[in-house]
Structure formats: C-alpha cells, structure tokens
C-alpha cells in the first residue's frame, strides 16, 4: 500500500471504470480525531479498515492511513484549515464518483466531520446523489486540544457554557460572528481557525465588554507530539502567540478555565519542554 503524505502532490484519481449501472458503494464520513492517532473511535477505525478508497485531509495522522487495507487507494485531498488544495466541489464530486463505482469510501476528516469540517456539505451532496452514507463522529479538537493542555472547557466554578466559533470569517455568504454578543455571553469561548485573526477578535471581544484580564490560551497541534501551548490574557495573548511563532492548526481558549492549565497541564508530547509559560 502506498501512503501519500500531505506534502506530496495528489495522485490522479482513477475514475475510468465509472459505471452508473452498479449499485453505489457506501461512504463513511469519519471523524479521525484531533491529531493523536489513537483518538479515532473504534467505529471510525473499523470503517477505515473496510475502505477501498480513502480520501483524507491535511491534518490526518499518517499512522491512521496505515490502518487502511493494503490495497486501498489513498487520495490526499489536502483540505487543511487555511490551504485548500482541492476545492470543496471537487472533493464532493470525487466522493460521488468513487461511490458510483460501487466502492466503499472512507472520507477521513480531522476532529469531528460536522464541527467546522464541511462534512455537512459532503453529506448533502451524497444524499442528493442517492448515495448511502454513514456519519461517524470524531473527537473534535475544540474539546480535545484544551483537554491535552489541561483546560476543561466547562467547570462548575468557572464556566457554565462553551461556545465554539470560527475566527476565520472569510466568506461573505457565511453568517457573521457576533463578537459583541459573545463578549456579553461570558463562559468559555473556543475559537477555531483563528491564529492570524487573534489580534482582530481579541480586540473585538474587549471592545464588546469582556475583561482584558480574562485568561486565554492558544494550543497549537494539540494532542500531537508537537503540541505547544501559550498562556496569557485576552489583552496579550495575540502578542504572546505571535512572539512564540505559533501557527495553524491552533485554537484559542478564552475564559476563566484557561488559567487551570497552570495546575492541570499533564501532556508533554515528545518534548518535555515544549510548553511555553510566561
Ligand atoms: N473538524 C475539526 C475542525 C476543522 S477546522 C475538528 O472538529 O477538530 C480546522 C481548525 O481546527 C484549525 O484551524 C484549528 O483551529 C483547529 N484544529 C484542528 N486540529 C487541531 C489541533 N490538533 N490543535 C489545535 N487546533 C486544531
């Protein structure tokens, strides 16, 4: 079995034997978990082990790809947080085409497929094409990366709500994020896709009335051996993350729970000194 790693060019998909007469294959939309390859579900792993074709994203651990059958076709579709190698429409079309060949398809997505994973769009396309599919939820980075940084997203003493929001408000068609409302809401805020936008949304939250002293953390590549954590406040977390050179994939935790990192940090990845403290 050939494993095609993300840095490689996508191989040319073999769609030659498309036959509309054949019964379509089953497509599994699988949440592969946040990074640590052992954080895929048992169900997700079993589905992967049955796949004839695997379409996978940038953040999928290579160890997981080795779990596919040795004769499975592995196709990197390169959809990461910030760089989309293949437009979503092409990924959708590939899913449909492979299924129409009667093959069992595993669509491996980072974290959970329905949490900012565009799994909803892929499922819609499959449903519209009459292709059978199963959704296998995954452990989202939104919960797991804070957990590996020793930050519980809710806590009886500190936070009764957790809100997961995108920091990347690129598309005019998407509903905008109401930062003023989020500032007023309190609780824990988890911002995905937002390392570059950190100065923007932290400023917006302070302007909206959230205290500048609110604890904050940025977790890069959480749950992997490369995990890095930067701790600060709403006021200085953007500068601290920048100074530490943090980059995507990373998420930001804002709220009183972030200070628990100091007490509860337990995961040290491969390098005991990776975590960056004040
Ligand atoms: N469906 C995914 C999220 C996809 S959006 C999930 O449920 O986890 C991609 C964003 O997720 C990244 O920009 C980053 O903000 C976050 N992310 C994904 N993996 C991460 C990780 N290991 N550590 C920190 N953030 C991560």
């Amino acid at each position: 079995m050939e494993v095609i790693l993300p840095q490689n060019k996508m191989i040319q998909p073999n769609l030659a034997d498309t036959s509309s007469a054949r019964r379509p294959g089953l497509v599994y939309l699988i949440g592969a978990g946040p990074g640590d390859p052992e954080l895929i579900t048992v169900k997700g792993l079993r589905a992967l082990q049955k796949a004839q074709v695997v379409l996978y994203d940038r953040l999928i651990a290579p160890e997981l790809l080795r779990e596919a059958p040795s004769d499975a076709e592995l196709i990197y579709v390169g959809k990461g947080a910030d760089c989309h190698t293949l437009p979503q429409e092409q990924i959708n079309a590939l899913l449909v085409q492979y299924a129409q060949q009667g093959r069992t398809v595993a669509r491996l997505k980072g974290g959970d497929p329905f949490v900012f994973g565009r799994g909803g769009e892929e499922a819609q396309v499959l449903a519209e094409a009459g292709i059978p599919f199963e959704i296998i939820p995954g452990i989202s980075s939104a919960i797991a990366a804070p957990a590996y940084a020793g930050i519980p997203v809710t806590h009886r003493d500190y936070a009764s709500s957790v809100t997961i929001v995108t920091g990347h408000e690129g598309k005019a068609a998407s509903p905008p994020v109401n930062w003023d409302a989020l500032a007023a809401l309190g609780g824990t805020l988890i911002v995905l896709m937002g390392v570059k936008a950190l100065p923007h949304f932290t400023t917006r939250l302070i302007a909206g009335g959230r205290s500048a002293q609110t604890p904050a953390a940025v977790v890069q590549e959480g749950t992997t051996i490369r995990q890095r954590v930067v701790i600060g406040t709403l006021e200085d977390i953007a500068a601290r993350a920048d100074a530490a050179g943090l980059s995507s994939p990373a998420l930001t935790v804002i709220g009183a729970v972030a200070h628990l990192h100091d007490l509860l940090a337990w995961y040290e990845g491969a390098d005991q000194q990776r975590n960056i403290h004040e």
Side-chain angles (χ1 to χ4, degrees), residues 33-36 57-59 79-82 109-118 138-146 165-166 168 191-195 218-224 227 247-252:
D36 178 341
D57 289 343
R58 182 170 67 97
L59 299 178
K79 212 168 73 63
D82 302 322
K109 302 176 75 70
D112 180 88
F114 280 5
V115 177
F116 292 114
R118 303 192 72 171
I139 299 179
S140 178
S141 64
I143 308 295
V165 62
T166 176
H168 178 75
V191 187
L192 298 187
M193 293 175 283
V195 218
V218 177
V219 186
Q220 177 186 310
E221 294 184 87
T223 80
T224 75
Q227 172 171 308
S247 61
S248 179
L251 57 73
T252 307

mmCIF file of all heavy atoms in Angstrom, residues 33-36 57-59 79-82 109-118 138-146 165-166 168 191-195 218-224 227 247-252, ligand 1:
data_model
loop_
_atom_site.group_PDB
_atom_site.id
_atom_site.type_symbol
_atom_site.label_atom_id
_atom_site.label_comp_id
_atom_site.label_asym_id
_atom_site.label_seq_id
_atom_site.Cartn_x
_atom_site.Cartn_y
_atom_site.Cartn_z
ATOM 1 N N GLY A 33 -10.507 12.344 14.604
ATOM 2 C CA GLY A 33 -9.985 12.833 15.870
ATOM 3 C C GLY A 33 -9.011 13.983 15.663
ATOM 4 O O GLY A 33 -8.690 14.353 14.536
ATOM 5 N N PRO A 34 -8.518 14.543 16.771
ATOM 6 C CA PRO A 34 -7.815 15.825 16.728
ATOM 7 C C PRO A 34 -6.345 15.778 16.338
ATOM 8 O O PRO A 34 -5.738 16.819 16.115
ATOM 9 C CB PRO A 34 -7.947 16.316 18.163
ATOM 10 C CG PRO A 34 -8.005 15.053 18.973
ATOM 11 C CD PRO A 34 -8.754 14.075 18.143
ATOM 12 N N GLY A 35 -5.732 14.604 16.268
ATOM 13 C CA GLY A 35 -4.307 14.583 15.921
ATOM 14 C C GLY A 35 -3.624 13.330 16.426
ATOM 15 O O GLY A 35 -3.035 12.583 15.660
ATOM 16 N N ASP A 36 -3.719 13.086 17.745
ATOM 17 C CA ASP A 36 -3.222 11.819 18.291
ATOM 18 C C ASP A 36 -3.951 10.690 17.562
ATOM 19 O O ASP A 36 -5.180 10.592 17.634
ATOM 20 C CB ASP A 36 -3.538 11.790 19.809
ATOM 21 C CG ASP A 36 -3.099 10.491 20.478
ATOM 22 O OD1 ASP A 36 -2.896 9.481 19.775
ATOM 23 O OD2 ASP A 36 -2.993 10.495 21.715
ATOM 24 N N ASP A 57 -7.599 14.409 4.590
ATOM 25 C CA ASP A 57 -7.198 15.811 4.669
ATOM 26 C C ASP A 57 -5.768 15.967 5.158
ATOM 27 O O ASP A 57 -5.122 15.018 5.581
ATOM 28 C CB ASP A 57 -8.121 16.560 5.638
ATOM 29 C CG ASP A 57 -9.511 16.753 5.075
ATOM 30 O OD1 ASP A 57 -9.680 16.615 3.858
ATOM 31 O OD2 ASP A 57 -10.426 17.039 5.873
ATOM 32 N N ARG A 58 -5.353 17.217 5.219
ATOM 33 C CA ARG A 58 -4.000 17.567 5.632
ATOM 34 C C ARG A 58 -3.681 17.146 7.071
ATOM 35 O O ARG A 58 -2.569 16.735 7.367
ATOM 36 C CB ARG A 58 -3.842 19.092 5.518
ATOM 37 C CG ARG A 58 -2.465 19.625 5.876
ATOM 38 C CD ARG A 58 -2.361 21.075 5.498
ATOM 39 N NE ARG A 58 -3.224 21.935 6.276
ATOM 40 C CZ ARG A 58 -2.848 22.621 7.344
ATOM 41 N NH1 ARG A 58 -1.604 22.537 7.764
ATOM 42 N NH2 ARG A 58 -3.685 23.396 7.999
ATOM 43 N N LEU A 59 -4.662 17.243 7.963
ATOM 44 C CA LEU A 59 -4.355 17.045 9.386
ATOM 45 C C LEU A 59 -4.478 15.582 9.829
ATOM 46 O O LEU A 59 -4.384 15.289 11.016
ATOM 47 C CB LEU A 59 -5.269 17.928 10.247
ATOM 48 C CG LEU A 59 -5.131 19.443 10.010
ATOM 49 C CD1 LEU A 59 -6.112 20.218 10.876
ATOM 50 C CD2 LEU A 59 -3.704 19.910 10.295
ATOM 51 N N LYS A 79 -7.375 19.259 2.116
ATOM 52 C CA LYS A 79 -8.158 20.346 2.657
ATOM 53 C C LYS A 79 -7.742 20.582 4.090
ATOM 54 O O LYS A 79 -8.139 19.869 4.984
ATOM 55 C CB LYS A 79 -9.639 20.038 2.585
ATOM 56 C CG LYS A 79 -10.484 21.272 2.388
ATOM 57 C CD LYS A 79 -11.909 20.915 2.041
ATOM 58 C CE LYS A 79 -12.646 20.376 3.243
ATOM 59 N NZ LYS A 79 -12.778 21.357 4.322
ATOM 60 N N GLY A 80 -6.890 21.566 4.299
ATOM 61 C CA GLY A 80 -6.486 21.901 5.650
ATOM 62 C C GLY A 80 -7.251 23.124 6.097
ATOM 63 O O GLY A 80 -8.235 23.525 5.475
ATOM 64 N N ALA A 81 -6.802 23.714 7.196
ATOM 65 C CA ALA A 81 -7.523 24.862 7.744
ATOM 66 C C ALA A 81 -7.436 26.063 6.809
ATOM 67 O O ALA A 81 -8.420 26.714 6.514
ATOM 68 C CB ALA A 81 -6.948 25.215 9.097
ATOM 69 N N ASP A 82 -6.256 26.327 6.336
ATOM 70 C CA ASP A 82 -6.070 27.559 5.581
ATOM 71 C C ASP A 82 -5.761 27.331 4.106
ATOM 72 O O ASP A 82 -5.861 28.232 3.304
ATOM 73 C CB ASP A 82 -4.927 28.375 6.204
ATOM 74 C CG ASP A 82 -5.212 28.686 7.658
ATOM 75 O OD1 ASP A 82 -6.380 28.950 7.971
ATOM 76 O OD2 ASP A 82 -4.281 28.646 8.467
ATOM 77 N N LYS A 109 -11.783 12.848 8.047
ATOM 78 C CA LYS A 109 -11.724 14.285 8.300
ATOM 79 C C LYS A 109 -11.176 14.543 9.702
ATOM 80 O O LYS A 109 -11.444 13.771 10.623
ATOM 81 C CB LYS A 109 -13.118 14.889 8.162
ATOM 82 C CG LYS A 109 -13.728 14.630 6.772
ATOM 83 C CD LYS A 109 -15.137 15.133 6.658
ATOM 84 C CE LYS A 109 -15.190 16.628 6.540
ATOM 85 N NZ LYS A 109 -14.690 17.133 5.256
ATOM 86 N N GLY A 110 -10.461 15.629 9.855
ATOM 87 C CA GLY A 110 -9.884 15.955 11.159
ATOM 88 C C GLY A 110 -10.957 16.252 12.189
ATOM 89 O O GLY A 110 -11.999 16.834 11.864
ATOM 90 N N GLY A 111 -10.717 15.835 13.426
ATOM 91 C CA GLY A 111 -11.652 16.132 14.507
ATOM 92 C C GLY A 111 -12.995 15.471 14.270
ATOM 93 O O GLY A 111 -13.079 14.280 14.006
ATOM 94 N N ASP A 112 -14.048 16.262 14.340
ATOM 95 C CA ASP A 112 -15.398 15.792 14.045
ATOM 96 C C ASP A 112 -15.819 16.333 12.683
ATOM 97 O O ASP A 112 -15.564 17.498 12.379
ATOM 98 C CB ASP A 112 -16.374 16.292 15.124
ATOM 99 C CG ASP A 112 -17.783 15.815 14.831
ATOM 100 O OD1 ASP A 112 -18.122 14.705 15.285
ATOM 101 O OD2 ASP A 112 -18.532 16.516 14.122
ATOM 102 N N PRO A 113 -16.459 15.481 11.861
ATOM 103 C CA PRO A 113 -16.782 15.936 10.494
ATOM 104 C C PRO A 113 -17.771 17.098 10.442
ATOM 105 O O PRO A 113 -17.784 17.855 9.471
ATOM 106 C CB PRO A 113 -17.390 14.696 9.830
ATOM 107 C CG PRO A 113 -17.422 13.610 10.826
ATOM 108 C CD PRO A 113 -16.836 14.075 12.104
ATOM 109 N N PHE A 114 -18.592 17.230 11.492
ATOM 110 C CA PHE A 114 -19.636 18.257 11.458
ATOM 111 C C PHE A 114 -19.294 19.493 12.289
ATOM 112 O O PHE A 114 -20.125 20.365 12.475
ATOM 113 C CB PHE A 114 -20.973 17.666 11.943
ATOM 114 C CG PHE A 114 -21.709 16.860 10.885
ATOM 115 C CD1 PHE A 114 -21.151 16.618 9.643
ATOM 116 C CD2 PHE A 114 -22.982 16.366 11.145
ATOM 117 C CE1 PHE A 114 -21.829 15.885 8.669
ATOM 118 C CE2 PHE A 114 -23.676 15.638 10.184
ATOM 119 C CZ PHE A 114 -23.097 15.394 8.942
ATOM 120 N N VAL A 115 -18.087 19.547 12.847
ATOM 121 C CA VAL A 115 -17.667 20.750 13.566
ATOM 122 C C VAL A 115 -16.663 21.485 12.687
ATOM 123 O O VAL A 115 -15.499 21.093 12.596
ATOM 124 C CB VAL A 115 -17.031 20.412 14.942
ATOM 125 C CG1 VAL A 115 -16.548 21.681 15.640
ATOM 126 C CG2 VAL A 115 -18.028 19.681 15.822
ATOM 127 N N PHE A 116 -17.122 22.477 11.996
ATOM 128 C CA PHE A 116 -16.299 23.248 11.053
ATOM 129 C C PHE A 116 -15.503 22.332 10.112
ATOM 130 O O PHE A 116 -14.374 22.631 9.764
ATOM 131 C CB PHE A 116 -15.362 24.215 11.790
ATOM 132 C CG PHE A 116 -16.103 25.316 12.474
ATOM 133 C CD1 PHE A 116 -16.107 25.421 13.859
ATOM 134 C CD2 PHE A 116 -16.799 26.265 11.740
ATOM 135 C CE1 PHE A 116 -16.809 26.444 14.495
ATOM 136 C CE2 PHE A 116 -17.499 27.286 12.370
ATOM 137 C CZ PHE A 116 -17.504 27.373 13.751
ATOM 138 N N GLY A 117 -16.113 21.221 9.728
ATOM 139 C CA GLY A 117 -15.390 20.271 8.890
ATOM 140 C C GLY A 117 -15.954 20.166 7.481
ATOM 141 O O GLY A 117 -15.452 19.398 6.674
ATOM 142 N N ARG A 118 -16.989 20.893 7.206
ATOM 143 C CA ARG A 118 -17.687 20.870 5.915
ATOM 144 C C ARG A 118 -18.256 19.490 5.606
ATOM 145 O O ARG A 118 -18.590 19.187 4.465
ATOM 146 C CB ARG A 118 -16.769 21.385 4.793
ATOM 147 C CG ARG A 118 -16.273 22.801 5.116
ATOM 148 C CD ARG A 118 -15.608 23.483 3.962
ATOM 149 N NE ARG A 118 -16.565 23.881 2.934
ATOM 150 C CZ ARG A 118 -16.259 24.658 1.897
ATOM 151 N NH1 ARG A 118 -15.039 25.104 1.751
ATOM 152 N NH2 ARG A 118 -17.166 24.974 1.001
ATOM 153 N N GLY A 138 -16.357 12.289 15.426
ATOM 154 C CA GLY A 138 -14.990 12.197 15.927
ATOM 155 C C GLY A 138 -14.809 13.105 17.122
ATOM 156 O O GLY A 138 -15.664 13.945 17.415
ATOM 157 N N ILE A 139 -13.702 12.947 17.804
ATOM 158 C CA ILE A 139 -13.386 13.832 18.926
ATOM 159 C C ILE A 139 -12.869 15.135 18.342
ATOM 160 O O ILE A 139 -11.847 15.158 17.657
ATOM 161 C CB ILE A 139 -12.328 13.201 19.846
ATOM 162 C CG1 ILE A 139 -12.862 11.887 20.423
ATOM 163 C CG2 ILE A 139 -11.932 14.177 20.952
ATOM 164 C CD1 ILE A 139 -11.874 11.171 21.318
ATOM 165 N N SER A 140 -13.599 16.200 18.590
ATOM 166 C CA SER A 140 -13.219 17.482 17.998
ATOM 167 C C SER A 140 -12.010 18.086 18.711
ATOM 168 O O SER A 140 -11.881 17.990 19.937
ATOM 169 C CB SER A 140 -14.394 18.462 18.085
ATOM 170 O OG SER A 140 -13.998 19.705 17.566
ATOM 171 N N SER A 141 -11.173 18.739 17.934
ATOM 172 C CA SER A 141 -10.046 19.469 18.523
ATOM 173 C C SER A 141 -10.554 20.537 19.488
ATOM 174 O O SER A 141 -9.853 20.907 20.427
ATOM 175 C CB SER A 141 -9.192 20.114 17.428
ATOM 176 O OG SER A 141 -9.935 21.092 16.731
ATOM 177 N N ALA A 142 -11.771 21.008 19.268
ATOM 178 C CA ALA A 142 -12.319 22.073 20.110
ATOM 179 C C ALA A 142 -12.379 21.658 21.580
ATOM 180 O O ALA A 142 -12.282 22.493 22.481
ATOM 181 C CB ALA A 142 -13.717 22.462 19.615
ATOM 182 N N ILE A 143 -12.544 20.375 21.816
ATOM 183 C CA ILE A 143 -12.616 19.847 23.177
ATOM 184 C C ILE A 143 -11.287 19.200 23.558
ATOM 185 O O ILE A 143 -10.804 19.337 24.678
ATOM 186 C CB ILE A 143 -13.720 18.753 23.270
ATOM 187 C CG1 ILE A 143 -15.056 19.274 22.722
ATOM 188 C CG2 ILE A 143 -13.856 18.228 24.697
ATOM 189 C CD1 ILE A 143 -15.664 20.392 23.500
ATOM 190 N N ALA A 144 -10.697 18.461 22.584
ATOM 191 C CA ALA A 144 -9.534 17.639 22.904
ATOM 192 C C ALA A 144 -8.245 18.436 23.065
ATOM 193 O O ALA A 144 -7.425 18.117 23.926
ATOM 194 C CB ALA A 144 -9.348 16.575 21.829
ATOM 195 N N ALA A 145 -8.038 19.462 22.237
ATOM 196 C CA ALA A 145 -6.795 20.236 22.359
ATOM 197 C C ALA A 145 -6.757 20.957 23.716
ATOM 198 O O ALA A 145 -5.729 20.908 24.408
ATOM 199 C CB ALA A 145 -6.627 21.204 21.190
ATOM 200 N N PRO A 146 -7.870 21.602 24.145
ATOM 201 C CA PRO A 146 -7.852 22.153 25.508
ATOM 202 C C PRO A 146 -7.601 21.062 26.556
ATOM 203 O O PRO A 146 -6.834 21.279 27.495
ATOM 204 C CB PRO A 146 -9.256 22.758 25.658
ATOM 205 C CG PRO A 146 -9.681 23.083 24.264
ATOM 206 C CD PRO A 146 -9.082 22.000 23.399
ATOM 207 N N VAL A 165 -16.530 28.771 17.950
ATOM 208 C CA VAL A 165 -16.767 29.792 16.938
ATOM 209 C C VAL A 165 -15.580 29.826 15.973
ATOM 210 O O VAL A 165 -14.473 29.422 16.328
ATOM 211 C CB VAL A 165 -16.980 31.152 17.665
ATOM 212 C CG1 VAL A 165 -15.769 31.572 18.446
ATOM 213 C CG2 VAL A 165 -17.412 32.242 16.730
ATOM 214 N N THR A 166 -15.806 30.274 14.761
ATOM 215 C CA THR A 166 -14.702 30.412 13.818
ATOM 216 C C THR A 166 -14.095 31.820 13.902
ATOM 217 O O THR A 166 -14.818 32.800 14.053
ATOM 218 C CB THR A 166 -15.145 30.132 12.360
ATOM 219 O OG1 THR A 166 -14.020 30.374 11.503
ATOM 220 C CG2 THR A 166 -16.289 31.037 11.917
ATOM 221 N N HIS A 168 -12.211 32.703 11.437
ATOM 222 C CA HIS A 168 -11.934 32.951 10.016
ATOM 223 C C HIS A 168 -13.248 33.278 9.322
ATOM 224 O O HIS A 168 -13.985 32.403 8.915
ATOM 225 C CB HIS A 168 -11.310 31.695 9.398
ATOM 226 C CG HIS A 168 -11.026 31.816 7.939
ATOM 227 N ND1 HIS A 168 -9.973 32.556 7.456
ATOM 228 C CD2 HIS A 168 -11.656 31.312 6.849
ATOM 229 C CE1 HIS A 168 -9.961 32.481 6.132
ATOM 230 N NE2 HIS A 168 -10.977 31.740 5.750
ATOM 231 N N VAL A 191 -12.079 29.412 19.877
ATOM 232 C CA VAL A 191 -12.018 29.986 18.532
ATOM 233 C C VAL A 191 -11.155 29.091 17.649
ATOM 234 O O VAL A 191 -9.954 28.934 17.878
ATOM 235 C CB VAL A 191 -11.459 31.423 18.554
ATOM 236 C CG1 VAL A 191 -11.577 32.050 17.157
ATOM 237 C CG2 VAL A 191 -12.192 32.275 19.583
ATOM 238 N N LEU A 192 -11.770 28.499 16.634
ATOM 239 C CA LEU A 192 -11.035 27.675 15.675
ATOM 240 C C LEU A 192 -10.598 28.547 14.496
ATOM 241 O O LEU A 192 -11.223 29.563 14.211
ATOM 242 C CB LEU A 192 -11.912 26.529 15.159
ATOM 243 C CG LEU A 192 -12.409 25.502 16.179
ATOM 244 C CD1 LEU A 192 -13.116 24.351 15.456
ATOM 245 C CD2 LEU A 192 -11.296 24.950 17.027
ATOM 246 N N MET A 193 -9.589 28.087 13.795
ATOM 247 C CA MET A 193 -9.135 28.724 12.549
ATOM 248 C C MET A 193 -8.770 30.187 12.736
ATOM 249 O O MET A 193 -8.947 30.988 11.830
ATOM 250 C CB MET A 193 -10.236 28.624 11.477
ATOM 251 C CG MET A 193 -10.499 27.214 11.033
ATOM 252 S SD MET A 193 -11.885 27.095 9.901
ATOM 253 C CE MET A 193 -13.273 27.236 11.005
ATOM 254 N N GLY A 194 -8.257 30.544 13.891
ATOM 255 C CA GLY A 194 -8.122 31.969 14.127
ATOM 256 C C GLY A 194 -6.760 32.488 14.539
ATOM 257 O O GLY A 194 -6.687 33.559 15.121
ATOM 258 N N VAL A 195 -5.671 31.772 14.246
ATOM 259 C CA VAL A 195 -4.379 32.283 14.748
ATOM 260 C C VAL A 195 -4.068 33.644 14.127
ATOM 261 O O VAL A 195 -3.665 34.559 14.824
ATOM 262 C CB VAL A 195 -3.198 31.334 14.457
ATOM 263 C CG1 VAL A 195 -2.236 31.305 15.617
ATOM 264 C CG2 VAL A 195 -3.650 29.957 14.090
ATOM 265 N N VAL A 218 -3.560 29.649 23.733
ATOM 266 C CA VAL A 218 -3.543 29.167 22.354
ATOM 267 C C VAL A 218 -2.868 27.801 22.359
ATOM 268 O O VAL A 218 -1.803 27.630 22.959
ATOM 269 C CB VAL A 218 -2.793 30.134 21.405
ATOM 270 C CG1 VAL A 218 -2.741 29.558 19.986
ATOM 271 C CG2 VAL A 218 -3.465 31.500 21.382
ATOM 272 N N VAL A 219 -3.520 26.831 21.737
ATOM 273 C CA VAL A 219 -2.974 25.474 21.669
ATOM 274 C C VAL A 219 -2.714 25.149 20.197
ATOM 275 O O VAL A 219 -3.633 25.149 19.382
ATOM 276 C CB VAL A 219 -3.950 24.432 22.251
ATOM 277 C CG1 VAL A 219 -3.288 23.051 22.300
ATOM 278 C CG2 VAL A 219 -4.444 24.854 23.631
ATOM 279 N N GLN A 220 -1.461 24.907 19.888
ATOM 280 C CA GLN A 220 -1.089 24.549 18.519
ATOM 281 C C GLN A 220 -0.863 23.040 18.441
ATOM 282 O O GLN A 220 -0.228 22.462 19.323
ATOM 283 C CB GLN A 220 0.184 25.286 18.105
ATOM 284 C CG GLN A 220 0.679 24.923 16.709
ATOM 285 C CD GLN A 220 2.012 25.559 16.374
ATOM 286 O OE1 GLN A 220 2.183 26.760 16.541
ATOM 287 N NE2 GLN A 220 2.959 24.752 15.923
ATOM 288 N N GLU A 221 -1.416 22.437 17.393
ATOM 289 C CA GLU A 221 -1.256 20.991 17.156
ATOM 290 C C GLU A 221 -1.533 20.175 18.409
ATOM 291 O O GLU A 221 -0.777 19.256 18.751
ATOM 292 C CB GLU A 221 0.123 20.683 16.587
ATOM 293 C CG GLU A 221 0.307 21.264 15.186
ATOM 294 C CD GLU A 221 1.637 20.880 14.584
ATOM 295 O OE1 GLU A 221 1.726 19.823 13.969
ATOM 296 O OE2 GLU A 221 2.586 21.666 14.764
ATOM 297 N N GLY A 222 -2.611 20.538 19.084
ATOM 298 C CA GLY A 222 -2.992 19.853 20.313
ATOM 299 C C GLY A 222 -3.156 18.358 20.097
ATOM 300 O O GLY A 222 -3.588 17.921 19.035
ATOM 301 N N THR A 223 -2.803 17.597 21.092
ATOM 302 C CA THR A 223 -2.874 16.119 21.163
ATOM 303 C C THR A 223 -1.791 15.418 20.340
ATOM 304 O O THR A 223 -1.682 14.192 20.374
ATOM 305 C CB THR A 223 -4.257 15.499 20.767
ATOM 306 O OG1 THR A 223 -4.376 15.427 19.345
ATOM 307 C CG2 THR A 223 -5.421 16.262 21.357
ATOM 308 N N THR A 224 -0.999 16.183 19.580
ATOM 309 C CA THR A 224 0.097 15.546 18.826
ATOM 310 C C THR A 224 1.393 15.699 19.621
ATOM 311 O O THR A 224 1.459 16.464 20.590
ATOM 312 C CB THR A 224 0.295 16.185 17.442
ATOM 313 O OG1 THR A 224 0.935 17.460 17.616
ATOM 314 C CG2 THR A 224 -1.028 16.386 16.715
ATOM 315 N N GLN A 227 2.557 19.325 20.151
ATOM 316 C CA GLN A 227 1.692 20.287 20.853
ATOM 317 C C GLN A 227 2.491 21.400 21.529
ATOM 318 O O GLN A 227 3.504 21.147 22.177
ATOM 319 C CB GLN A 227 0.867 19.561 21.917
ATOM 320 C CG GLN A 227 0.087 20.501 22.838
ATOM 321 C CD GLN A 227 -0.883 19.757 23.742
ATOM 322 O OE1 GLN A 227 -1.684 18.957 23.288
ATOM 323 N NE2 GLN A 227 -0.814 20.012 25.040
ATOM 324 N N SER A 247 1.435 28.872 14.895
ATOM 325 C CA SER A 247 0.764 28.954 13.602
ATOM 326 C C SER A 247 -0.275 27.837 13.500
ATOM 327 O O SER A 247 -0.386 26.990 14.389
ATOM 328 C CB SER A 247 1.779 28.835 12.469
ATOM 329 O OG SER A 247 2.431 27.584 12.565
ATOM 330 N N SER A 248 -1.010 27.824 12.428
ATOM 331 C CA SER A 248 -2.076 26.857 12.202
ATOM 332 C C SER A 248 -1.504 25.430 12.099
ATOM 333 O O SER A 248 -0.400 25.260 11.571
ATOM 334 C CB SER A 248 -2.779 27.227 10.904
ATOM 335 O OG SER A 248 -3.791 26.314 10.619
ATOM 336 N N PRO A 249 -2.204 24.391 12.552
ATOM 337 C CA PRO A 249 -3.504 24.453 13.196
ATOM 338 C C PRO A 249 -3.387 24.769 14.688
ATOM 339 O O PRO A 249 -2.634 24.120 15.402
ATOM 340 C CB PRO A 249 -4.068 23.040 13.000
ATOM 341 C CG PRO A 249 -2.847 22.167 12.991
ATOM 342 C CD PRO A 249 -1.754 22.998 12.359
ATOM 343 N N ALA A 250 -4.138 25.758 15.099
ATOM 344 C CA ALA A 250 -4.145 26.133 16.518
ATOM 345 C C ALA A 250 -5.530 26.666 16.852
ATOM 346 O O ALA A 250 -6.247 27.153 15.974
ATOM 347 C CB ALA A 250 -3.088 27.194 16.796
ATOM 348 N N LEU A 251 -5.873 26.577 18.106
ATOM 349 C CA LEU A 251 -7.134 27.160 18.546
ATOM 350 C C LEU A 251 -6.897 27.985 19.799
ATOM 351 O O LEU A 251 -5.876 27.837 20.485
ATOM 352 C CB LEU A 251 -8.199 26.085 18.771
ATOM 353 C CG LEU A 251 -7.941 24.938 19.749
ATOM 354 C CD1 LEU A 251 -8.007 25.387 21.189
ATOM 355 C CD2 LEU A 251 -8.952 23.825 19.499
ATOM 356 N N THR A 252 -7.854 28.872 20.055
ATOM 357 C CA THR A 252 -7.742 29.772 21.195
ATOM 358 C C THR A 252 -8.854 29.467 22.193
ATOM 359 O O THR A 252 -10.003 29.284 21.790
ATOM 360 C CB THR A 252 -7.863 31.237 20.723
ATOM 361 O OG1 THR A 252 -6.914 31.455 19.679
ATOM 362 C CG2 THR A 252 -7.577 32.214 21.861
HETATM 363 N N1 LIG B 1 -13.474 19.373 12.277
HETATM 364 C C1 LIG B 1 -12.316 19.834 13.013
HETATM 365 C C2 LIG B 1 -12.090 21.318 12.856
HETATM 366 C C3 LIG B 1 -11.763 21.723 11.432
HETATM 367 S S1 LIG B 1 -11.435 23.439 11.265
HETATM 368 C C4 LIG B 1 -12.465 19.434 14.474
HETATM 369 O O1 LIG B 1 -13.551 19.045 14.908
HETATM 370 O O2 LIG B 1 -11.464 19.484 15.200
HETATM 371 C C5 LIG B 1 -9.675 23.449 11.422
HETATM 372 C C6 LIG B 1 -9.297 24.163 12.698
HETATM 373 O O3 LIG B 1 -9.434 23.280 13.793
HETATM 374 C C7 LIG B 1 -7.865 24.624 12.743
HETATM 375 O O4 LIG B 1 -7.686 25.860 12.113
HETATM 376 C C8 LIG B 1 -7.633 24.740 14.234
HETATM 377 O O5 LIG B 1 -8.214 25.921 14.751
HETATM 378 C C9 LIG B 1 -8.458 23.584 14.747
HETATM 379 N N2 LIG B 1 -7.628 22.409 14.956
HETATM 380 C C10 LIG B 1 -7.662 21.254 14.275
HETATM 381 N N3 LIG B 1 -6.790 20.370 14.794
HETATM 382 C C11 LIG B 1 -6.194 20.994 15.831
HETATM 383 C C12 LIG B 1 -5.207 20.615 16.788
HETATM 384 N N4 LIG B 1 -4.670 19.394 16.775
HETATM 385 N N5 LIG B 1 -4.847 21.529 17.723
HETATM 386 C C13 LIG B 1 -5.398 22.744 17.767
HETATM 387 N N6 LIG B 1 -6.328 23.158 16.890
HETATM 388 C C14 LIG B 1 -6.724 22.298 15.946
#
